[in-house]
Amino acid sequence: MIQATKRRVGQGCWPGKQCIDPFKTDFDMLQVQPVSRSVRLNGFSTCLRLEAVYWGILERIAEANQCSVSAVLSYVDREVHLRQGGVRNFSGLIRVICVAWLLDPPSVR
């Protein structure tokens, strides 16, 4: 049986390099679980599957814009069609938008 050992800073990394554990002490593994939701994008019903953490970020984006998550997704869908002619991986685009939103927060948050 393999036992989990508590890593110390600097352990389990490249030789001579300090390592910072990316897991918060209270990290919730449920945030990793994929969640499928039926959404309407500009009048069309579809299913979008994202990890739970991204749905939470989308809810924050919607709240900041005083609209629904569906409205945010419809906006992104419409804009990507207007600007780029569409995208092959819409869920990947949504993940990147969520991360970009967190990295460069609007000044009105």
XYZ file of all heavy atoms in Angstrom:
862
model
N 0.826 -1.173 0.000
C 0.000 0.000 0.000
C 0.880 1.249 0.000
O 1.830 1.358 0.748
C -0.882 -0.016 1.242
C -1.774 1.145 1.368
S -2.848 0.682 2.713
C -3.702 1.986 3.162
N 0.528 2.183 -0.879
C 1.309 3.405 -0.986
C 0.769 4.417 0.007
O -0.422 4.680 0.063
C 1.235 3.978 -2.412
C 1.801 2.977 -3.407
C 1.955 5.302 -2.499
C 1.624 3.387 -4.842
N 1.658 4.976 0.796
C 1.252 5.986 1.763
C 1.555 7.370 1.211
O 2.605 7.591 0.603
C 2.022 5.822 3.064
C 1.465 4.755 3.962
C 2.155 4.834 5.309
O 3.321 5.171 5.391
N 1.428 4.507 6.355
N 0.612 8.267 1.409
C 0.840 9.658 1.012
C 1.740 10.308 2.046
O 1.536 10.153 3.238
C -0.480 10.396 0.920
N 2.732 10.999 1.586
C 3.614 11.707 2.505
C 3.431 13.193 2.299
O 3.155 13.653 1.196
C 5.099 11.338 2.252
O 5.411 11.650 0.904
C 5.344 9.863 2.517
N 3.569 13.910 3.371
C 3.440 15.358 3.287
C 4.744 15.919 2.737
O 5.816 15.663 3.270
C 3.143 15.936 4.676
C 2.780 17.374 4.631
C 2.242 17.820 5.966
C 1.760 19.248 5.842
N 1.055 19.678 7.018
N 4.616 16.651 1.624
C 5.812 17.226 1.012
C 6.184 18.526 1.692
O 5.328 19.283 2.112
C 5.580 17.488 -0.473
C 5.483 16.233 -1.263
C 5.446 16.499 -2.727
N 4.371 17.426 -3.054
C 4.367 18.193 -4.121
N 5.353 18.166 -4.960
N 3.359 19.000 -4.370
N 7.441 18.754 1.766
C 7.932 20.020 2.276
C 8.305 20.904 1.098
O 8.539 20.419 0.005
C 9.168 19.788 3.148
C 8.817 19.179 4.496
C 10.065 18.808 5.224
N 10.434 17.500 4.690
C 11.631 16.972 4.764
N 12.600 17.601 5.327
N 11.882 15.788 4.259
N 8.350 22.211 1.328
C 8.774 23.132 0.287
C 10.146 22.701 -0.196
O 11.040 22.436 0.592
C 8.807 24.589 0.815
C 9.408 25.519 -0.224
C 7.409 25.043 1.191
N 10.296 22.597 -1.499
C 11.570 22.202 -2.074
C 11.664 20.714 -2.356
O 12.569 20.262 -3.029
N 10.736 19.914 -1.855
C 10.785 18.471 -2.044
C 9.953 18.084 -3.265
O 8.896 18.630 -3.501
C 10.237 17.780 -0.804
C 10.449 16.289 -0.801
C 9.950 15.673 0.494
O 9.266 16.307 1.270
N 10.308 14.438 0.705
N 10.432 17.142 -4.063
C 9.680 16.665 -5.212
C 9.795 17.576 -6.423
O 8.959 17.543 -7.307
N 10.793 18.397 -6.476
C 10.993 19.318 -7.595
C 12.307 18.996 -8.282
O 12.946 17.996 -7.995
C 11.010 20.753 -7.091
S 9.445 21.280 -6.412
N 12.706 19.876 -9.168
C 13.975 19.710 -9.832
C 15.092 19.926 -8.822
O 14.961 20.745 -7.906
C 14.114 20.718 -10.972
C 13.095 20.517 -12.034
C 13.145 19.606 -13.045
C 11.867 21.204 -12.193
N 12.022 19.691 -13.827
C 11.217 20.675 -13.321
C 11.233 22.220 -11.494
C 9.990 21.123 -13.755
C 10.013 22.674 -11.935
C 9.408 22.120 -13.053
N 16.186 19.223 -9.000
C 17.305 19.376 -8.054
C 17.757 20.832 -7.971
O 17.924 21.507 -8.981
C 18.409 18.503 -8.651
C 17.682 17.529 -9.530
C 16.460 18.240 -10.026
N 17.895 21.315 -6.747
C 18.372 22.667 -6.520
C 17.317 23.749 -6.696
O 17.625 24.927 -6.592
N 16.087 23.368 -6.982
C 15.023 24.354 -7.181
C 14.017 24.274 -6.044
O 13.685 23.199 -5.569
C 14.279 24.106 -8.498
C 15.131 24.178 -9.730
C 15.383 25.612 -10.094
C 16.198 25.659 -11.371
N 16.418 26.984 -11.839
N 13.502 25.412 -5.629
C 12.468 25.446 -4.600
C 11.122 25.174 -5.263
O 10.861 25.610 -6.373
C 12.443 26.793 -3.911
C 11.493 26.829 -2.738
C 11.513 28.167 -2.031
O 11.907 29.164 -2.600
N 11.091 28.161 -0.784
N 10.255 24.450 -4.567
C 8.948 24.099 -5.100
C 7.865 24.663 -4.185
O 7.957 24.557 -2.969
C 8.802 22.579 -5.184
S 7.221 22.039 -5.829
N 6.849 25.259 -4.794
C 5.701 25.740 -4.029
C 4.519 24.869 -4.403
O 4.166 24.750 -5.576
C 5.406 27.222 -4.328
C 6.605 28.066 -3.907
C 4.135 27.670 -3.626
C 6.515 29.508 -4.302
N 3.929 24.235 -3.413
C 2.804 23.330 -3.632
C 1.599 24.121 -4.133
O 1.146 25.046 -3.470
C 2.466 22.616 -2.317
C 1.525 21.453 -2.511
O 0.898 21.351 -3.588
O 1.409 20.636 -1.584
N 1.049 23.795 -5.332
C -0.075 24.550 -5.878
C -1.407 24.270 -5.184
O -2.383 24.977 -5.403
C -0.126 24.104 -7.341
C 0.484 22.753 -7.345
C 1.500 22.762 -6.239
N -1.473 23.238 -4.356
C -2.713 22.906 -3.658
C -2.864 23.763 -2.411
O -1.982 23.789 -1.567
C -2.739 21.431 -3.239
C -2.984 20.487 -4.363
C -1.932 19.845 -4.978
C -4.272 20.245 -4.812
C -2.159 18.972 -6.025
C -4.513 19.378 -5.856
C -3.450 18.737 -6.464
N -3.990 24.472 -2.318
C -4.307 25.186 -1.087
C -4.599 24.139 -0.024
O -4.990 23.023 -0.338
C -5.549 26.064 -1.272
C -5.352 27.221 -2.196
C -6.580 28.076 -2.416
C -7.739 27.863 -1.533
N -8.909 28.657 -1.798
N -4.455 24.505 1.225
C -4.708 23.581 2.322
C -6.117 23.011 2.264
O -6.335 21.830 2.489
C -4.497 24.284 3.680
O -3.193 24.835 3.688
C -4.649 23.318 4.827
N -7.081 23.849 1.897
C -8.475 23.412 1.861
C -8.969 23.162 0.428
O -10.131 23.361 0.124
C -9.366 24.444 2.557
C -9.274 25.818 1.910
O -8.353 26.039 1.100
O -10.119 26.673 2.220
N -8.071 22.721 -0.448
C -8.424 22.500 -1.857
C -9.578 21.503 -1.967
O -9.557 20.439 -1.378
C -7.217 21.976 -2.631
C -7.476 21.831 -4.102
C -7.462 22.941 -4.922
C -7.748 20.597 -4.652
C -7.701 22.822 -6.275
C -7.997 20.461 -6.002
C -7.969 21.575 -6.821
N -10.599 21.885 -2.732
C -11.804 21.074 -2.902
C -11.731 20.332 -4.238
O -11.897 20.940 -5.296
C -13.034 21.979 -2.857
C -14.342 21.227 -3.007
O -14.328 19.986 -3.046
O -15.384 21.908 -3.090
N -11.511 19.028 -4.186
C -11.395 18.228 -5.410
C -12.698 18.195 -6.208
O -12.688 17.862 -7.380
C -10.947 16.799 -5.081
C -9.477 16.690 -4.737
S -8.371 17.241 -6.054
C -8.597 15.952 -7.266
N -13.821 18.563 -5.599
C -15.083 18.614 -6.338
C -15.058 19.689 -7.413
O -15.810 19.630 -8.381
C -16.258 18.848 -5.383
C -16.556 17.700 -4.427
C -17.692 18.079 -3.478
C -16.907 16.430 -5.190
N -14.185 20.692 -7.263
C -14.055 21.745 -8.274
C -13.528 21.198 -9.597
O -13.683 21.825 -10.631
C -13.139 22.862 -7.766
C -13.708 23.624 -6.598
C -14.967 24.369 -6.985
O -14.975 25.162 -7.910
N -16.052 24.092 -6.300
N -12.926 20.021 -9.558
C -12.352 19.399 -10.745
C -13.410 18.617 -11.531
O -13.253 18.366 -12.721
C -11.196 18.455 -10.328
C -10.590 17.750 -11.506
C -10.135 19.236 -9.570
N -14.498 18.269 -10.867
C -15.540 17.445 -11.498
C -16.204 18.179 -12.660
O -16.621 19.321 -12.509
C -16.608 17.063 -10.471
C -16.115 16.155 -9.383
C -15.648 14.818 -9.920
O -16.238 14.250 -10.818
N -14.548 14.331 -9.364
N -16.313 17.510 -13.819
C -17.022 18.135 -14.940
C -18.524 18.192 -14.655
O -19.089 17.267 -14.083
C -16.737 17.230 -16.121
C -15.951 16.086 -15.618
C -15.724 16.240 -14.164
N -19.122 19.305 -15.047
C -20.554 19.508 -14.881
C -21.123 19.890 -16.243
O -20.626 20.814 -16.882
C -20.847 20.630 -13.856
C -22.333 20.903 -13.748
C -20.249 20.281 -12.498
N -22.144 19.169 -16.678
C -22.813 19.489 -17.937
C -24.059 20.309 -17.646
O -24.819 19.977 -16.738
C -23.212 18.213 -18.679
O -22.072 17.491 -19.047
N -24.244 21.360 -18.411
C -25.443 22.189 -18.267
C -26.025 22.461 -19.648
O -25.280 22.695 -20.602
C -25.117 23.535 -17.612
C -24.782 23.431 -16.158
C -24.771 24.808 -15.528
N -24.254 24.752 -14.170
C -24.008 25.809 -13.436
N -24.225 27.019 -13.909
N -23.546 25.682 -12.223
N -27.323 22.439 -19.717
C -28.005 22.843 -20.940
C -28.066 24.363 -20.940
O -28.453 24.973 -19.950
C -29.416 22.275 -20.991
O -29.362 20.874 -21.086
N -27.637 24.954 -22.046
C -27.647 26.406 -22.166
C -28.224 26.805 -23.524
O -28.234 26.015 -24.461
C -26.225 27.014 -22.014
C -25.693 26.802 -20.611
C -25.266 26.438 -23.024
N -28.715 28.022 -23.579
C -29.194 28.597 -24.829
C -28.185 29.627 -25.281
O -27.915 30.593 -24.574
C -30.556 29.251 -24.643
C -31.700 28.286 -24.821
C -33.044 28.992 -24.799
N -33.801 29.091 -26.024
C -34.114 28.123 -26.845
N -33.665 26.924 -26.616
N -34.857 28.321 -27.899
N -27.632 29.398 -26.466
C -26.690 30.349 -27.040
C -27.354 31.019 -28.225
O -27.547 30.393 -29.274
C -25.403 29.655 -27.489
C -24.611 28.926 -26.413
C -23.402 28.232 -27.015
C -24.183 29.887 -25.324
N -27.745 32.259 -28.045
C -28.377 33.021 -29.115
C -29.543 32.267 -29.736
O -29.681 32.181 -30.946
C -27.340 33.425 -30.159
C -26.245 34.273 -29.552
O -26.528 35.282 -28.915
N -25.008 33.861 -29.694
N -30.369 31.686 -28.871
C -31.586 31.020 -29.326
C -31.449 29.536 -29.605
O -32.434 28.852 -29.832
N -30.228 29.008 -29.589
C -30.013 27.589 -29.866
C -29.669 26.854 -28.578
O -28.794 27.283 -27.830
C -28.884 27.390 -30.883
C -29.217 27.906 -32.245
C -28.813 29.176 -32.636
C -29.949 27.135 -33.133
C -29.127 29.671 -33.885
C -30.270 27.618 -34.389
C -29.862 28.889 -34.761
N -30.338 25.736 -28.322
C -30.047 24.926 -27.138
C -28.852 24.038 -27.407
O -28.724 23.446 -28.478
C -31.242 24.044 -26.787
O -32.291 24.831 -26.311
N -27.983 23.958 -26.417
C -26.822 23.084 -26.508
C -26.428 22.667 -25.099
O -26.981 23.160 -24.121
C -25.644 23.774 -27.234
O -24.613 22.820 -27.480
C -25.099 24.939 -26.434
N -25.484 21.778 -25.001
C -24.988 21.323 -23.713
C -23.517 21.729 -23.616
O -22.754 21.540 -24.560
C -25.137 19.812 -23.608
S -24.694 19.180 -21.985
N -23.151 22.296 -22.500
C -21.772 22.718 -22.278
C -21.247 21.991 -21.048
O -21.877 21.997 -19.996
C -21.718 24.237 -22.084
C -20.346 24.874 -22.009
C -19.559 24.629 -23.296
C -20.489 26.373 -21.775
N -20.086 21.364 -21.197
C -19.480 20.601 -20.107
C -18.183 21.286 -19.685
O -17.245 21.392 -20.467
C -19.208 19.170 -20.580
C -18.679 18.239 -19.522
C -18.569 16.838 -20.128
N -17.882 15.919 -19.287
C -18.489 15.039 -18.507
N -19.805 14.976 -18.491
N -17.794 14.217 -17.761
N -18.193 21.774 -18.443
C -17.036 22.445 -17.866
C -16.823 21.945 -16.445
O -17.770 21.510 -15.787
C -17.261 23.957 -17.793
C -17.446 24.728 -19.087
C -17.946 26.134 -18.785
C -16.148 24.777 -19.858
N -15.603 22.046 -15.955
C -15.337 21.730 -14.565
C -16.082 22.731 -13.689
O -16.275 23.886 -14.063
C -13.831 21.788 -14.289
C -13.037 20.686 -14.959
C -12.793 20.894 -16.446
O -13.079 21.982 -16.981
O -12.323 19.952 -17.093
N -16.468 22.278 -12.504
C -17.277 23.096 -11.595
C -16.642 24.449 -11.308
O -17.349 25.457 -11.202
C -17.522 22.335 -10.292
N -15.333 24.516 -11.209
C -14.667 25.778 -10.907
C -14.961 26.823 -11.978
O -15.127 28.014 -11.677
C -13.146 25.570 -10.705
C -12.445 25.176 -11.995
C -12.522 26.790 -10.069
N -15.070 26.412 -13.236
C -15.347 27.371 -14.313
C -16.785 27.882 -14.265
O -17.036 29.049 -14.583
C -15.026 26.773 -15.679
C -13.548 26.546 -15.851
C -13.018 25.260 -15.861
C -12.665 27.620 -15.972
C -11.658 25.050 -15.997
C -11.297 27.408 -16.104
C -10.803 26.129 -16.116
O -9.454 25.930 -16.246
N -17.713 27.021 -13.861
C -19.096 27.494 -13.704
C -19.150 28.576 -12.626
O -19.884 29.549 -12.739
C -20.042 26.337 -13.383
C -20.281 25.444 -14.565
C -19.859 24.156 -14.708
C -20.987 25.782 -15.768
N -20.271 23.666 -15.936
C -20.959 24.640 -16.605
C -21.627 26.926 -16.224
C -21.553 24.622 -17.867
C -22.217 26.910 -17.485
C -22.177 25.768 -18.280
N -18.364 28.394 -11.563
C -18.310 29.403 -10.507
C -17.747 30.725 -11.008
O -18.247 31.800 -10.663
N -16.714 30.667 -11.834
C -16.136 31.888 -12.391
C -17.133 32.552 -13.335
O -17.291 33.775 -13.315
C -14.800 31.590 -13.109
C -13.770 31.047 -12.115
C -14.272 32.838 -13.804
C -12.546 30.434 -12.754
N -17.823 31.751 -14.143
C -18.844 32.309 -15.034
C -19.941 33.015 -14.242
O -20.446 34.066 -14.661
C -19.451 31.218 -15.918
C -18.597 30.758 -17.089
C -19.190 29.518 -17.730
C -18.438 31.880 -18.111
N -20.305 32.456 -13.094
C -21.308 33.108 -12.251
C -20.802 34.456 -11.741
O -21.555 35.426 -11.674
C -21.697 32.189 -11.090
C -22.531 31.009 -11.557
C -22.687 29.911 -10.520
O -22.236 30.086 -9.362
O -23.252 28.860 -10.870
N -19.520 34.529 -11.414
C -18.933 35.801 -10.982
C -18.908 36.817 -12.116
O -19.167 38.007 -11.907
C -17.525 35.576 -10.439
C -17.523 34.847 -9.094
C -16.140 34.487 -8.621
N -15.273 35.652 -8.493
C -13.971 35.575 -8.248
N -13.397 34.394 -8.093
N -13.243 36.665 -8.153
N -18.585 36.359 -13.324
C -18.582 37.252 -14.495
C -19.993 37.768 -14.747
O -20.198 38.962 -14.996
C -18.018 36.528 -15.737
C -16.534 36.204 -15.543
C -18.228 37.368 -16.991
C -15.941 35.296 -16.617
N -20.974 36.867 -14.678
C -22.370 37.259 -14.895
C -22.811 38.262 -13.830
O -23.469 39.265 -14.148
C -23.270 36.029 -14.884
N -22.454 38.016 -12.593
C -22.820 38.929 -11.505
C -22.209 40.312 -11.723
O -22.868 41.326 -11.529
C -22.347 38.346 -10.168
C -22.730 39.165 -8.968
C -22.237 38.534 -7.671
O -22.409 37.324 -7.507
O -21.665 39.283 -6.855
N -20.933 40.327 -12.143
C -20.255 41.606 -12.398
C -20.932 42.376 -13.534
O -20.902 43.606 -13.564
C -18.784 41.369 -12.719
N -21.543 41.651 -14.472
C -22.220 42.276 -15.613
C -23.729 42.400 -15.403
O -24.440 42.803 -16.312
C -21.930 41.476 -16.886
C -20.522 41.700 -17.362
O -20.201 42.750 -17.867
N -19.666 40.699 -17.158
N -24.184 41.999 -14.230
C -25.605 42.050 -13.879
C -26.465 41.360 -14.936
O -27.433 41.925 -15.460
C -26.052 43.498 -13.667
C -25.314 44.159 -12.542
C -25.695 45.613 -12.350
O -26.314 46.225 -13.197
N -25.312 46.152 -11.204
N -26.081 40.131 -15.250
C -26.833 39.336 -16.224
C -26.729 37.862 -15.833
O -26.160 37.531 -14.801
C -26.296 39.563 -17.642
S -24.602 38.988 -17.896
N -27.253 36.996 -16.654
C -27.200 35.558 -16.389
C -25.961 34.936 -17.033
O -25.337 35.534 -17.921
C -28.452 34.886 -16.958
O -28.440 34.973 -18.372
N -25.641 33.731 -16.586
C -24.543 32.986 -17.200
C -24.853 32.732 -18.672
O -23.977 32.849 -19.530
C -24.279 31.657 -16.445
C -23.322 30.766 -17.211
C -23.744 31.944 -15.039
N -26.100 32.427 -18.983
C -26.493 32.213 -20.388
C -26.246 33.459 -21.229
O -25.820 33.357 -22.385
C -27.963 31.807 -20.485
O -28.120 30.486 -20.030
N -26.500 34.625 -20.660
C -26.252 35.870 -21.395
C -24.753 36.052 -21.663
O -24.359 36.478 -22.750
C -26.806 37.059 -20.625
N -23.919 35.720 -20.683
C -22.463 35.803 -20.866
C -22.031 34.851 -21.974
O -21.279 35.227 -22.886
C -21.704 35.479 -19.561
C -20.210 35.362 -19.807
C -21.989 36.515 -18.487
N -22.516 33.608 -21.917
C -22.146 32.614 -22.923
C -22.643 33.011 -24.311
O -21.928 32.833 -25.302
C -22.677 31.237 -22.528
C -22.060 30.647 -21.257
C -22.805 29.382 -20.845
C -20.568 30.378 -21.442
N -23.842 33.558 -24.390
C -24.381 34.016 -25.675
C -23.540 35.151 -26.245
O -23.270 35.209 -27.438
C -25.832 34.468 -25.524
O -26.673 33.358 -25.356
N -23.118 36.052 -25.371
C -22.265 37.156 -25.800
C -20.953 36.624 -26.376
O -20.517 37.038 -27.456
C -21.983 38.109 -24.628
C -20.982 39.175 -24.969
C -21.364 40.315 -25.666
C -19.642 39.037 -24.607
C -20.433 41.287 -26.004
C -18.714 40.002 -24.944
C -19.103 41.126 -25.637
O -18.188 42.074 -25.980
N -20.312 35.702 -25.660
C -19.048 35.133 -26.121
C -19.253 34.423 -27.463
O -18.466 34.604 -28.399
C -18.454 34.163 -25.074
C -17.268 33.396 -25.642
C -18.062 34.916 -23.812
N -20.319 33.647 -27.574
C -20.620 32.929 -28.813
C -20.802 33.901 -29.978
O -20.223 33.723 -31.052
C -21.875 32.075 -28.622
C -22.229 31.265 -29.854
O -21.378 30.483 -30.319
O -23.363 31.422 -30.353
N -21.573 34.927 -29.756
C -21.830 35.915 -30.798
C -20.535 36.635 -31.199
O -20.219 36.790 -32.382
C -22.866 36.926 -30.308
C -23.311 37.940 -31.327
C -24.479 38.798 -30.829
N -24.282 39.365 -29.496
C -24.899 38.948 -28.387
N -25.770 37.954 -28.423
N -24.653 39.519 -27.222
N -19.762 37.065 -30.197
C -18.531 37.800 -30.479
C -17.484 36.955 -31.196
O -16.806 37.443 -32.084
C -17.945 38.382 -29.185
C -18.740 39.541 -28.641
C -18.776 40.730 -29.594
O -17.712 41.148 -30.101
O -19.885 41.238 -29.823
N -17.346 35.695 -30.818
C -16.346 34.854 -31.472
C -16.743 34.593 -32.931
O -15.889 34.485 -33.809
C -16.070 33.547 -30.686
C -17.163 32.515 -30.875
C -14.728 32.953 -31.085
N -18.055 34.538 -33.203
C -18.492 34.391 -34.592
C -18.236 35.659 -35.390
O -17.808 35.603 -36.539
C -19.970 33.986 -34.654
C -20.165 32.523 -34.473
N -20.267 31.938 -33.225
C -20.244 31.517 -35.372
C -20.399 30.642 -33.362
N -20.394 30.353 -34.657
N -18.479 36.816 -34.782
C -18.252 38.088 -35.469
C -16.765 38.374 -35.675
O -16.359 38.850 -36.728
C -18.889 39.239 -34.679
C -20.414 39.272 -34.648
C -20.909 40.344 -33.681
C -20.972 39.515 -36.053
N -15.961 38.087 -34.654
C -14.539 38.438 -34.707
C -13.677 37.401 -35.426
O -12.716 37.753 -36.098
C -13.987 38.621 -33.293
C -14.617 39.769 -32.537
C -14.076 39.845 -31.139
N -14.813 40.818 -30.334
C -14.374 41.288 -29.192
N -13.225 40.879 -28.697
N -15.105 42.162 -28.530
N -14.013 36.102 -35.237
C -13.153 35.034 -35.751
C -13.854 34.068 -36.696
O -13.229 33.128 -37.175
C -12.568 34.218 -34.583
C -11.781 35.022 -33.583
C -10.499 35.562 -34.164
O -9.861 34.913 -34.974
N -10.119 36.758 -33.772
N -15.151 34.246 -36.892
C -15.886 33.306 -37.733
C -16.240 32.017 -37.006
O -16.635 31.046 -37.623
N -16.079 31.998 -35.696
C -16.388 30.812 -34.896
C -15.145 30.235 -34.250
O -14.045 30.753 -34.412
N -15.354 29.158 -33.529
C -14.253 28.482 -32.837
C -14.592 26.998 -32.765
O -15.756 26.625 -32.644
C -14.032 29.099 -31.425
C -15.214 28.850 -30.522
C -12.770 28.588 -30.781
N -13.585 26.150 -32.882
C -13.815 24.702 -32.835
C -14.091 24.193 -31.430
O -14.843 23.260 -31.242
C -12.600 23.957 -33.390
C -12.478 24.050 -34.863
C -11.282 23.259 -35.307
N -11.457 22.924 -36.707
C -10.892 21.902 -37.286
N -10.097 21.117 -36.579
N -11.093 21.672 -38.553
N -13.429 24.780 -30.449
C -13.521 24.290 -29.074
C -14.098 25.390 -28.184
O -13.363 26.124 -27.521
C -12.131 23.848 -28.593
C -12.150 23.232 -27.223
O -13.175 23.191 -26.550
N -10.993 22.764 -26.782
N -15.424 25.497 -28.163
C -16.082 26.554 -27.404
C -15.819 26.413 -25.909
O -15.563 27.406 -25.228
C -17.587 26.561 -27.691
C -18.310 27.717 -27.075
C -18.156 28.995 -27.570
C -19.155 27.522 -25.988
C -18.825 30.080 -27.002
C -19.836 28.591 -25.415
C -19.661 29.867 -25.921
N -15.843 25.204 -25.380
C -15.599 25.023 -23.942
C -14.164 25.431 -23.585
O -13.928 26.015 -22.522
C -15.898 23.590 -23.493
O -15.134 22.674 -24.230
N -13.218 25.155 -24.464
C -11.836 25.600 -24.235
C -11.740 27.115 -24.233
O -11.030 27.706 -23.413
N -12.462 27.757 -25.152
C -12.507 29.216 -25.194
C -13.059 29.771 -23.888
O -12.519 30.732 -23.329
C -13.360 29.692 -26.372
C -13.642 31.192 -26.433
C -12.360 31.983 -26.661
C -14.669 31.484 -27.517
N -14.114 29.159 -23.378
C -14.718 29.617 -22.128
C -13.727 29.476 -20.976
O -13.597 30.369 -20.132
C -16.036 28.865 -21.838
C -17.078 29.187 -22.905
C -16.555 29.181 -20.442
C -17.422 30.665 -23.029
N -12.988 28.371 -20.933
C -11.988 28.192 -19.872
C -10.935 29.302 -19.923
O -10.562 29.876 -18.906
C -11.324 26.825 -19.990
C -12.198 25.673 -19.599
C -11.426 24.344 -19.711
N -12.273 23.230 -19.453
C -12.906 22.519 -20.406
N -12.747 22.835 -21.686
N -13.676 21.512 -20.083
N -10.459 29.602 -21.128
C -9.437 30.643 -21.282
C -10.001 32.010 -20.900
O -9.331 32.800 -20.232
C -8.870 30.648 -22.726
C -7.974 31.854 -22.966
C -8.113 29.353 -22.992
N -11.231 32.293 -21.291
C -11.861 33.562 -20.926
C -11.972 33.682 -19.406
O -11.708 34.747 -18.836
C -13.235 33.700 -21.612
C -13.011 34.041 -23.081
C -14.113 34.733 -20.918
C -14.255 34.029 -23.924
N -12.335 32.593 -18.735
C -12.432 32.606 -17.268
C -11.087 32.924 -16.634
O -10.998 33.769 -15.729
C -12.955 31.270 -16.753
S -14.709 30.985 -17.058
N -10.039 32.267 -17.095
C -8.700 32.502 -16.535
C -8.250 33.928 -16.843
O -7.740 34.629 -15.963
C -7.690 31.466 -17.074
C -6.269 31.835 -16.686
C -8.042 30.076 -16.571
N -8.463 34.389 -18.078
C -8.068 35.744 -18.454
C -8.810 36.778 -17.614
O -8.228 37.785 -17.191
C -8.334 35.972 -19.950
N -10.079 36.528 -17.335
C -10.877 37.446 -16.515
C -10.310 37.533 -15.100
O -10.251 38.606 -14.510
C -12.332 36.991 -16.496
C -13.281 37.961 -15.868
C -13.817 39.076 -16.451
C -13.822 37.898 -14.547
N -14.668 39.703 -15.556
C -14.690 39.002 -14.389
C -13.670 37.008 -13.490
C -15.390 39.243 -13.214
C -14.368 37.250 -12.319
C -15.214 38.356 -12.190
N -9.872 36.387 -14.565
C -9.284 36.389 -13.229
C -7.910 37.063 -13.205
O -7.551 37.726 -12.233
C -9.139 34.965 -12.692
C -10.438 34.244 -12.337
C -10.138 32.805 -11.950
C -11.180 34.953 -11.227
N -7.140 36.894 -14.285
C -5.798 37.478 -14.342
C -5.813 38.977 -14.568
O -4.906 39.681 -14.148
C -4.985 36.805 -15.444
C -4.581 35.364 -15.205
C -3.886 34.790 -16.427
C -3.679 35.242 -13.977
N -6.833 39.461 -15.269
C -6.928 40.895 -15.576
C -8.300 41.403 -15.180
O -9.143 41.659 -16.036
C -6.667 41.104 -17.075
C -6.545 42.582 -17.416
O -6.252 43.392 -16.532
O -6.752 42.922 -18.600
N -8.527 41.530 -13.878
C -9.866 41.892 -13.413
C -10.250 43.303 -13.845
O -9.413 44.195 -13.862
C -9.763 41.797 -11.896
C -8.308 41.907 -11.591
C -7.565 41.418 -12.793
N -11.525 43.479 -14.199
C -11.985 44.829 -14.526
C -11.896 45.726 -13.292
O -11.997 45.248 -12.167
C -13.434 44.642 -14.964
C -13.784 43.228 -14.715
C -12.563 42.484 -14.317
N -11.725 47.005 -13.509
C -11.531 47.937 -12.394
C -12.788 48.155 -11.566
O -12.726 48.684 -10.477
C -11.030 49.271 -12.922
O -11.949 49.787 -13.859
N -13.950 47.729 -12.075
C -15.200 47.977 -11.348
C -15.609 46.829 -10.436
O -16.681 46.817 -9.895
C -16.359 48.273 -12.338
C -16.118 49.579 -13.035
C -16.538 47.134 -13.324
N -14.755 45.827 -10.242
C -15.102 44.696 -9.374
C -15.153 45.084 -7.947
O -14.435 45.742 -7.358
C -14.104 43.567 -9.549
C -14.587 42.590 -10.544
C -13.881 41.302 -10.341
N -13.389 40.891 -11.635
C -12.488 39.995 -11.829
N -11.915 39.402 -10.854
N -12.106 39.663 -13.018
